[in-house]
Each structure stands twice: as structure tokens, then as C-alpha cells.
Amino acid sequence: MKSLLLSRFLVLLPWVLLGRPSGERLLSCGSGRNSSQPPPEPEELLPIIYAITPTYSRPVQKAELTRLANTFRQVARLHWILVEDSAGVTELVSRFAAGLNRGGGPPCTHLHVLTPRRYKRPGQPRATEQRNAGLAWIRQRYQHAKGPPTPPTPGVLFFADDDNTYSLELFQEMRTTRKVSVWPVGLVGGRRYERPVVEKGKVVGWYTGWRAGRPFAIDMAGFAVSLQVILSNPKAVFRRHGSQPGMQESDFLRQITTMEELEPKASNCTKVLVWHTRTEKVNLANEPKYHTDSVRIEV
């Protein structure tokens, strides 16, 4: 009798195991999230990131904006401020921005301001008017009738040029900025990278290939500023008069912070999370040599 019961049990055992719900099998393998890890912070509670991107008309403009948009799509709570260097909005960038807003983000504000012709000579700082237009838009957004402007939630401002390449990890790093945070930038200044030099958690100098004596020897892609600092310093802008090429970062940062206050990110400024890649100049030598296409295609 016992042998009969045992044989029936052995026959039924595989069917019992196979008949378990799939969820139970997954849990038994330990593939679920570790219960000791804290749940992710709700997206609506994350500090917002404002990314100001100057842009101008050129053959690779749409390609570079598309690449940057595909990065920004993956960043939670990011608002893109796209500022054209033009007297009015262009059709290309207008369609691009509208497509972003229709296609699920990132949220995009499209502005324009023209750089005066006298400032387009070689050796002049670039994108000054466009970055200032982005700063003015942010300040106006939070302006109140009485008292100092105060954002409803924490936030951070970042100057994101459209010819750079960004790691998603960079946005996680900058989101915790209390005042001004800094990190290395790759492929800049004639070197493989430039970075703030950090000792005991404090920035004490600069590893750079160009004008190391600058007050803040850092690339535009190498820092972020808290939203509250931007709003508390309404006169802090990028200046044309008295500012030399390569000094715009220093001229801006010394209006709002000191080197002692800088917050090193990216493992104490030992990891490169943004690269000044620049797209190769395209060869369009054959454009005028052949007949014009009967279809107008936007590139």
C-alpha cells in the first residue's frame, strides 16, 4: 500500500511543480527587486533640470538637435530651452520643437535672439545672447509680484551645447546640486579631458590645457547651477563687454560663487560624463554640380 502511494506521489510531483503560477517561480529564483533597496523617488518630486541650448543654422543642425533630443527623452523632469541665433524662429527648428511636444517630450520652449553682426567676428565669445535669453525666460517664469522669486520645487540649470555628447549618469549627478556643481569634460582644451582638481572633497585647482590661471578654468559643459541661485542673482548674466574668448564661464561663475563653494561631482571629478565631440564638418562639394532634386527634403 505504501509503495503504491509513493509511486503515485512521484508521478504527480512534476505536474504539481509545472502547474505553479509563473510569478511564484520568478520569486523563488530571487529575480525581484531587493526589498532592502529604497523605492525610487516619484518623478514629480525630482528636482527639475532646465537645459539651455543655443543653436544656429548649419548643415548638421537638425542631426545634432536630434541626437541631443534622444538623450533628453530619457531624462526625467527635464525642460529644454532651445534658443536660436536668428532674427525670428526658423521653419526647421519650429517643426523640430513642435514634433518634440507632440511626440512625448522632452518639454521644449523655443526662443530666438539674433547675435549682432559685430560680435560674429573670429575671436568673439559665442552664444552670449542666446544663453542670456534662456536665463531671462527662467527668471520670468518664477517672477512673483512680491518678495524674492522662489521655485515651487528644487531645480538646476545646465548649459547644454548641441555639439556635445552626454552620459545619462551626468543628469543624475547634477540633480543634487545645492549651489554650483562641477565635473570633468572630455576632448576639450587640446587635451583628452579637463577637470577640477579635488582634495579632501574640495576643488583646489584645475587640470587644463589652456589658460590655467582663469578663476574658473572650466568648459561650459562642466558645471550646473541651482535654480535658487539663478533666481537670487538676477543680474548674473554672460557679458559681452570686457569678456575675452574662453572667459565667459569664469565671468559668469564669479558673479554667483567662489571656488571654495564648488561641489565636485562624478566621483570627485575623476569620471568623464560629457564629451565635447563636435560633429565633423560635412563635405557638400557636389551640391552645385548636379541637378536639383524635384523633392524638397529637410536634412
Side-chain angles (χ1 to χ4, degrees), residues 111-129:
L111 308 174
H112 69 90
V113 59
L114 181 66
T115 300
R117 183 180 296 274
R118 64 183 180 277
Y119 294 135
K120 291 189 175 182
R121 300 191 305 270
Q124 289 288 333
R126 299 175 61 183
T128 300
E129 288 74 21

Side-chain angles (χ1 to χ4, degrees), residues 22-292:
S22 58
E24 291 186 23
R25 291 201 301 274
L26 287 172
L27 288 174
S28 66
C29 292
S31 60
R33 185 177 59 85
N34 190 335
S35 59
S36 65
Q37 295 178 352
E41 189 173 5
E43 183 173 317
E44 62 271 12
L45 298 180
L46 289 174
I48 188 170
I49 295 175
Y50 287 102
I52 296 178
T53 300
T55 187
Y56 64 98
S57 179
R58 60 200 190 278
V60 298
Q61 182 182 27
K62 186 176 180 181
E64 293 194 317
L65 290 177
T66 299
R67 178 180 58 192
L68 186 52
N70 288 337
T71 298
F72 286 169
R73 286 179 191 275
Q74 302 175 70
V75 181
R77 292 271 289 163
L78 182 143
H79 189 113
W80 194 5
I81 305 171
L82 193 54
V83 191
E84 286 195 80
D85 184 354
S86 62
V89 297
T90 64
E91 290 186 15
L92 186 150
V93 180
S94 294
R95 283 194 293 267
F96 179 83
L100 288 176
N101 291 329
R102 287 194 310 267
C108 180
T109 295
H110 181 195
L111 308 174
H112 69 90
V113 59
L114 181 66
T115 300
R117 183 180 296 274
R118 64 183 180 277
Y119 294 135
K120 291 189 175 182
R121 300 191 305 270
Q124 289 288 333
R126 299 175 61 183
T128 300
E129 288 74 21
Q130 291 72 40
R131 294 188 181 105
N132 285 340
L135 288 169
W137 183 90
I138 290 174
R139 288 168 174 145
Q140 185 177 8
R141 179 181 178 89
Y142 290 102
Q143 188 65 49
H144 299 286
K146 295 181 181 179
T150 303
T153 58
V156 63
L157 169 67
F158 175 55
F159 297 100
D161 288 352
D162 58 5
D163 58 352
N164 293 341
T165 302
Y166 303 91
S167 165
L168 295 179
E169 186 180 348
L170 178 64
F171 301 98
Q172 299 174 10
E173 294 275 323
M174 74 171 68
R175 210 184 289 271
T176 58
T177 300
R178 297 187 302 274
K179 190 169 184 179
V180 178
S181 59
V182 293
W183 51 78
V185 178
L187 309 177
V188 68
R191 309 197 73 153
R192 292 174 59 246
Y193 62 87
E194 293 184 335
R195 73 179 185 95
V197 177
V198 179
E199 293 181 1
K200 298 180 179 179
K202 294 290 185 180
V203 176
V204 297
W206 312 95
Y207 177 82
T208 180
W210 184 77
R211 296 187 68 172
R214 288 172 287 161
F216 296 88
I218 194 170
D219 186 77
M220 195 69 69
F223 67 92
V225 185
S226 86
L227 182 55
Q228 188 58 60
V229 168
I230 294 296
L231 299 179
S232 300
N233 295 271
K235 294 183 179 180
V237 295
F238 292 93
R239 296 171 178 169
R240 279 287 185 189
H241 301 290
S243 183
Q244 303 174 17
M247 292 293 291
Q248 291 242 306
E249 297 89 345
S250 288
D251 292 345
F252 179 74
L253 287 172
R254 62 186 175 186
Q255 297 175 65
I256 59 176
T257 191
T258 64
M259 189 165 73
E260 292 73 23
E261 294 177 322
L262 296 177
E263 305 156 40
K265 301 292 186 181
S267 298
N268 274 333
C269 296
T270 61
K271 291 176 64 177
V272 174
L273 301 175
V274 54
W275 298 262
H276 207 10
T277 41
R278 295 189 180 94
T279 301
E280 180 182 0
K281 187 175 181 181
V282 296
N283 178 7
L284 300 177
N286 287 330
E287 276 288 299
K289 295 182 179 180
Y290 297 94
H291 67 276
T292 303

